[in-house]
Amino acid sequence: MKNIKLFIPALIVILLDQTTKILVDIFIPIGTTKYSLFGDFLRIVHVRNDAVAFSLGSSFDPLVKVALFIILPLAVLTFVALFMVREKDISYFQRTLLSLLLGGGLGNLIDRIFRHMSVVDFISTNNYGLFGMDRFPTYNIADASVVISVILLFITFFFKKKENKN
């Protein structure tokens, strides 16, 4: 029962991610912008990404996409889940971050399996020219969960190593 509680953050991310994607599918035609909020900072749009981050791999052969976008992520997510449950030397906070990573990964994997190898993206933010881009590439709840949890995991592991040296 203790291990099942570890997966609650993942379940919450999956539910939020899939619910928002269903709403986008229903109410926003593909390729259109429905809302612009906070001036032009945030747009709610509907795009489909048939690749990975920044549309990398969109021209890959379908069998390569299955291997790289479904089978490999499934293996990695299985490893993350096992690590999260079995590793004794990580904190509760780190387990929560791993669960959020797992939820984000599964949210996009669900899309790839049930939405013909594409992921629904709908959050578009103004980048104000940072990195030479006017807008950051469109993303979703799952993407945000993965990116934020990975950044925080790196920070926690960095400070833990520094703490061990002292």
Side-chain angles (χ1 to χ4, degrees):
M1 190 58 145
K2 177 183 165 188
N3 288 340
I4 291 174
K5 289 180 184 178
L6 295 174
F7 295 97
I8 291 173
L11 182 61
I12 291 169
V13 168
I14 292 167
L15 289 173
L16 281 171
D17 180 62
Q18 290 300 308
T19 301
T20 54
K21 289 173 179 175
I22 288 168
L23 292 171
V24 166
D25 263 344
I26 292 170
F27 294 109
I28 305 174
I30 293 175
T32 63
T33 299
K34 183 74 171 185
Y35 303 103
S36 228
L37 307 166
F38 310 112
D40 189 37
F41 175 72
L42 175 67
R43 292 181 189 163
I44 305 300
V45 302
H46 185 176
V47 297
R48 294 292 179 107
N49 186 356
D50 67 345
V52 291
F54 309 107
S55 296
L56 297 173
S58 62
S59 63
F60 287 176
D61 181 80
L63 287 177
V64 173
K65 283 185 176 184
V66 169
L68 292 178
F69 302 160
I70 293 179
I71 296 170
L72 181 61
L74 192 55
V76 170
L77 293 173
T78 300
F79 173 78
V80 168
L82 290 172
F83 181 81
M84 189 175 82
V85 170
R86 294 182 178 170
E87 180 61 38
K88 303 285 187 236
D89 196 31
I90 60 174
S91 69
Y92 178 78
F93 181 62
Q94 289 168 324
R95 286 182 207 286
T96 302
L97 292 173
L98 288 168
S99 187
L100 294 171
L101 171 64
L102 188 65
L106 287 171
N108 281 337
L109 195 57
I110 289 168
D111 274 23
R112 295 204 184 283
I113 293 169
F114 295 104
R115 289 191 172 98
H116 308 288
M117 290 298 293
S118 69
V119 174
V120 174
D121 288 332
F122 60 92
I123 303 168
S124 175
T125 52
N126 196 325
N127 212 31
Y128 301 104
L130 188 63
F131 306 120
M133 298 183 292
D134 289 332
R135 302 201 71 77
F136 194 77
T138 307
Y139 58 98
N140 57 47
I141 303 287
D143 296 335
S145 182
V146 167
V147 169
I148 292 168
S149 61
V150 166
I151 290 169
L152 291 175
L153 275 168
F154 277 129
I155 290 170
T156 63
F157 286 127
F158 174 77
F159 282 111
K160 186 174 184 177
K161 294 224 185 255
K162 207 171 190 181
E163 183 180 288
N164 290 342
K165 288 181 181 180
N166 295 336

